[in-house]
């Protein structure tokens, strides 16, 4: 393999370098070596990058072995340094030729986008908890940006809302006033405007950074994926709202959005946030020097990724709880009523429908998925105590354990207090905070050499 690598590496004849044979590099015209290198160093680096991209690892190892057997020449030292620098540049999110300022600017932009996505998830949760999501009965990209301003406009909007099921079956009987309608309308309007703001904050700087050449080949596809997910979120949000504006066929169905579409909307938001936050860490967090070999690294990675998966699955299960108002069926803990397994857990036919449509089963699943998540994180923490982790990774896993305990306490409190808006919204935000710590920890593990 190495001889094939060497045979591909040909430098410009003016530099008096030639790659020869299987034994290593020979140097012709040694008397002009340094002057040639200084004169054509840019050509040297350019040819080197084009020739050795697939083989840089083998070349570095070869020269390291040679250096242990014979005194290093100036050329050998220079080549090894250049190859190591090239390998590091391929893992950066911006090209190596850009300044550190550019790296930080891209990282701060990604941090802002991930923070705004976090805010959108919290706002969406509050919108659902306050039953505000069906107050805007139409979707227009530009027209919806301006809410009603005059009394006549508000009255017309209220009358339009009154023609849909939520008013007819719920809020008409509650005697909702125009003032109360304004409150839920503004909540939904704020959520939609926040989503549009995310699109602008993402798209405009992304176009500028792309034009400036601050994205490398690995980052460019990610930026396209981020933009696609943001657009998909907007379309999926309206698709979800539309399901709540349709007349229900069942006699006991209440006007609300489909729990399947709600879970999809939340799930894609969590994925978008996770990808943005991961890229933020890659830009802004520098590698930490590791002085000792870390043992059980594979076990830590398995438990770390398993924790992220469990956090995500538990969050999606929570979306089904919210969509079916399942948090109001059994407000006791640790038992559901006076039983560990309630009698109505499998009353729907076919039986599989109970998993996503029976409020009792949905709450049962969310409870125990949360407990499994907590146990997984606890196991990760116990294993990490026996490992000599770097300080940042140690802090991240400690934060994971602490946040998982807080999140569990918030979940129980939400249940026992009959789902108040403030506590339930904190519980939903807690899931993203816990995911953030899990992403941080696994990102730190990625930086530890094997």
């Amino acid at each position: 393999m190495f001889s094939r690598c060497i045979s591909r590496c040909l430098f410009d004849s003016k530099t008096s370098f030639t790659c020869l044979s299987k034994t290593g590099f020979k140097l012709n015209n040694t008397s002009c070596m340094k002057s040639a290198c200084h004169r054509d160093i840019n050509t040297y680096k350019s040819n080197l990058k084009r020739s050795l991209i697939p083989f840089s690892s083998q070349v570095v190892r070869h020269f390291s072995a040679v250096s242990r057997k014979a005194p290093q020449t100036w050329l050998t030292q220079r080549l090894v340094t250049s190859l190591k620098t090239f390998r590091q540049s391929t893992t950066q999110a911006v090209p190596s030729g850009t300044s550190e300022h550019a790296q930080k600017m891209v990282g701060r932009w990604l941090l802002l986008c991930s923070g705004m996505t976090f805010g959108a998830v919290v706002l969406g949760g509050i919108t659902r908890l306050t039953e505000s999501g069906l107050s805007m009965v139409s979707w227009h990209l530009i027209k919806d940006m301006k809410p009603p301003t005059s009394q006549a406009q508000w009255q017309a909007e209220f009358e339009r809302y009154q023609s849909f099921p939520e008013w007819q079956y719920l809020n008409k009987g509650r005697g909702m006033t125009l003032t109360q309608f304004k409150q839920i309308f503004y909540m939904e309007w704020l959520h939609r405007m926040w989503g549009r703001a995310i699109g602008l904050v993402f798209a405009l700087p992304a176009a500028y950074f792309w034009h400036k050449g601050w994205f490398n080949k690995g980052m460019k596809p990610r930026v396209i994926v981020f933009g696609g997910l943001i657009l998909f979120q907007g379309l999926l949000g309206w698709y979800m709202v539309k399901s709540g504006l349709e007349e229900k066929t069942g006699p006991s169905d209440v006007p609300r959005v489909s729990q399947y579409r709600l879970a999809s909307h939340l799930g894609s938001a969590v994925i978008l946030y996770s990808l943005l936050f991961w890229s933020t860490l890659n830009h802004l967090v520098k590698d930490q020097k590791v002085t000792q070999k870390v043992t059980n690294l594979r076990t830590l990675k398995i438990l770390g990724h398993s924790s992220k998966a469990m956090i995500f699955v538990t969050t999606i299960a929570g979306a089904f709880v919210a969509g079916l108002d399942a948090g109001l069926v059994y407000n006791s803990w640790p038992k559901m009523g006076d039983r560990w397994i309630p009698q109505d857990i499998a009353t729907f036919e076919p039986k599989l429908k109970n998993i996503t449509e029976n409020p009792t089963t949905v709450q049962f699943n969310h409870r125990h998925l949360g407990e499994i998540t907590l146990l997984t994180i606890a196991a990760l923490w116990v294993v990490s105590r026996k490992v000599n982790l770097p300080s940042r990774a140690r802090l991240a896993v400690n934060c994971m354990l602490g946040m998982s305990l807080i999140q569990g306490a918030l979940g129980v409190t939400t249940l026992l207090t009959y789902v108040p808006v403030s506590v339930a919204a904190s519980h939903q935000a807690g899931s993203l905070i816990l995911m953030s710590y899990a992403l941080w920890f696994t990102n730190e593990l990625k930086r530890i050499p094997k």
Side-chain angles (χ1 to χ4, degrees), residues 151-350:
Q151 185 68 17
Q153 290 176 343
W154 274 114
Q155 190 61 42
E157 191 69 36
F158 191 29
E159 291 174 358
R160 192 156 42 245
Y161 169 73
Q162 291 174 354
S163 63
F164 287 88
E166 186 176 65
W167 162 264
Q168 296 168 356
Y169 295 104
L170 291 178
N171 289 329
K172 181 178 181 180
R174 297 171 181 173
M176 173 179 278
T177 63
L178 179 59
T179 301
Q180 293 172 328
F181 171 73
K182 289 181 180 180
Q183 293 174 354
I184 63 172
F185 183 94
Y186 274 126
M187 191 71 248
E188 172 65 8
W189 178 83
L190 178 62
H191 183 50
R192 294 191 186 188
M193 292 306 103
W194 191 270
R196 287 171 170 83
I198 292 175
L200 290 175
V201 169
F202 173 83
L204 297 180
Y208 175 77
F209 296 150
W210 196 301
H211 175 72
K212 295 286 287 186
W214 288 0
F215 297 142
N216 69 2
K217 291 182 179 180
M219 187 63 185
K220 286 180 179 178
R222 297 176 193 172
V223 172
I224 295 174
V225 170
F226 298 157
L229 280 173
I230 291 172
L231 178 61
F232 177 71
Q233 271 294 94
L235 297 175
L236 186 57
W238 170 244
Y239 181 64
M240 178 189 69
V241 170
K242 190 177 178 181
S243 67
L245 300 176
E246 298 169 352
E247 192 78 30
K248 303 297 181 181
T249 56
S252 61
D253 287 335
V254 297
R256 58 186 171 210
V257 300
S258 164
Q259 69 270 27
Y260 299 103
R261 300 184 192 184
L262 176 62
S264 300
H265 191 45
L266 177 61
S268 60
V270 173
I271 291 172
L272 174 61
Y273 170 78
S274 300
L275 294 175
L276 287 169
F277 188 70
W278 183 268
S279 294
T280 300
L281 294 173
N282 288 340
H283 278 75
L284 297 182
V285 179
K286 296 182 179 180
D287 290 345
Q288 194 172 17
K289 187 176 181 180
V290 180
T291 57
Q292 297 180 0
K293 184 178 180 180
V294 178
T295 58
N296 290 333
L297 187 59
R298 178 178 174 81
T299 302
L300 287 173
K301 287 184 176 180
I302 291 173
L303 287 172
H305 293 308
S306 298
S307 297
K308 289 191 296 186
M310 286 305 305
I311 294 168
F312 180 78
V313 172
T314 306
T315 302
I316 298 304
F320 280 94
V321 172
L324 293 172
D325 291 325
L328 299 173
V329 292
Y330 282 97
N331 298 95
S332 58
W333 189 85
K335 293 184 178 181
M336 299 180 71
D338 58 351
R339 301 173 65 92
W340 291 106
I341 301 177
Q343 292 180 327
D344 56 342
I345 198 171
T347 54
F348 285 26
E349 293 292 343

Side-chain angles (χ1 to χ4, degrees), residues 15 39 62 67 76 94 100 217 380 391 428:
T15 65
R39 183 175 63 252
H62 173 78
S67 67
T76 302
V94 298
E100 185 178 353
K217 291 182 179 180
L380 170 63
S391 58
Q428 181 166 317

Side-chain angles (χ1 to χ4, degrees), residues 92-114:
Q92 296 174 348
V94 298
S96 57
T98 58
S99 65
E100 185 178 353
H101 171 72
Q103 176 89 3
K104 289 182 178 180
M105 285 292 291
V106 174
R108 290 167 182 168
W109 164 66
L110 289 169
L111 180 62
L112 176 61
C113 291
S114 59

Side-chain angles (χ1 to χ4, degrees), residues 27-47:
L27 181 65
N28 295 330
N29 301 332
T30 56
S31 61
C32 63
M33 174 181 66
K34 287 193 177 181
S35 61
C37 287
H38 285 296
R39 183 175 63 252
D40 296 317
I41 193 66
N42 291 331
T43 303
Y44 163 73
K45 288 183 177 180
S46 176
N47 291 337

